Amino acid sequence: MIKLGLTGSIGMGKSTVAEMFAAEGVPVFDADAAVHRLQGPEGALVAEIEARFPGTTGPGGVDRTALAERVLGERQALQNLEALIHPAVAREREAFLRAHKDSPLVVLDIPLLFEAGGAAKVDKIAVVSAPAEVQCARVLARPGMTAEKFEKILKLQMPDEEKRARADFVVPTGGPPEETRASVRRIVACLTGAADS
């Protein structure tokens, strides 16, 4: 099994690319979706997050906006939150890998792959990338997003240029979707061919 780490900064189109890999029949582990489950209604982390950050949860689970306001720009608070989330997501990832142990290729969709030290746990890395102006337009179109919040998020992420330099593959998302899909298909062909040899 080849483990392909899929990453990219906010607004680069990583979720779309993950869907394209899934459409090609590649099992995809979505770290963000795992976090949503863990923080959602009756999620395994809700009580711990409420204990650490009182007032950030409710009947629907974690209030992500309220939690973000508590941790963005607060390094220690963010580290405390990550200390809860990362081990729980790692357990979910291990269960996914066991479930797909016979697959020649799996994708681990991990937004902070480099930042959280996950690069050593995958065999290859694909970075999703788009021009800065495309990224900015996508992010600022999100509900509740502000230029200030976007700036804070960017400061927590490795620069796109550095991610691309460290990647085995770069998936472009600034052009037509067909171009992105062709890139995904080339990666799948390359890695499943490598797995078969």
Side-chain angles (χ1 to χ4, degrees):
M1 174 199 288
I2 293 176
K3 297 189 287 284
L4 176 67
L6 180 68
T7 194
S9 299
I10 184 171
M12 290 299 194
K14 190 175 50 57
S15 297
T16 300
V17 171
E19 288 169 9
M20 289 179 178
F21 274 106
E24 296 302 313
V26 180
V28 176
F29 173 76
D30 184 338
D32 270 349
V35 170
H36 279 276
R37 280 194 305 277
L38 292 162
Q39 294 183 358
E42 300 174 26
L45 291 180
V46 175
E48 287 181 83
I49 289 173
E50 178 61 30
R52 190 73 59 92
F53 304 97
T56 59
T57 69
V62 173
D63 179 336
R64 291 170 71 89
T65 303
L67 186 59
E69 286 171 4
R70 295 281 282 277
V71 302
L72 271 182
E74 300 293 332
R75 186 165 297 281
Q76 188 57 54
L78 186 61
Q79 287 174 348
N80 290 342
L81 178 62
E82 288 172 345
L84 294 176
I85 292 174
H86 289 171
V89 172
R91 288 191 292 274
E92 298 246 338
R93 184 176 62 245
E94 291 310 311
F96 166 86
L97 290 172
R98 284 194 299 274
H100 297 283
K101 65 182 187 301
D102 296 328
S103 298
L105 174 65
V106 296
V107 168
L108 302 179
D109 175 354
I110 305 173
L112 299 176
L113 181 74
F114 292 118
E115 295 87 344
K121 298 181 179 125
V122 295
D123 302 304
K124 298 288 180 183
I125 296 170
V127 167
V128 178
S129 182
E133 61 274 15
V134 173
Q135 176 192 28
C136 185
R138 287 174 179 165
V139 175
L140 293 180
R142 293 181 180 186
M145 183 57 73
T146 64
E148 182 186 18
K149 189 174 175 185
F150 178 37
E151 200 57 41
K152 283 183 178 176
I153 292 168
L154 280 182
K155 283 183 180 161
L156 297 171
Q157 298 185 342
M158 181 183 289
D160 179 55
E161 184 180 350
E162 192 175 337
K163 286 181 179 173
R164 283 187 279 118
R166 293 178 61 177
D168 297 290
F169 306 97
V170 176
V171 183
T173 63
E178 299 75 35
E179 181 185 322
T180 303
R181 193 177 305 279
S183 178
V184 166
R185 286 177 172 155
R186 280 194 299 272
I187 293 169
V188 172
C190 173
L191 293 180
T192 53
D196 292 338
S197 59

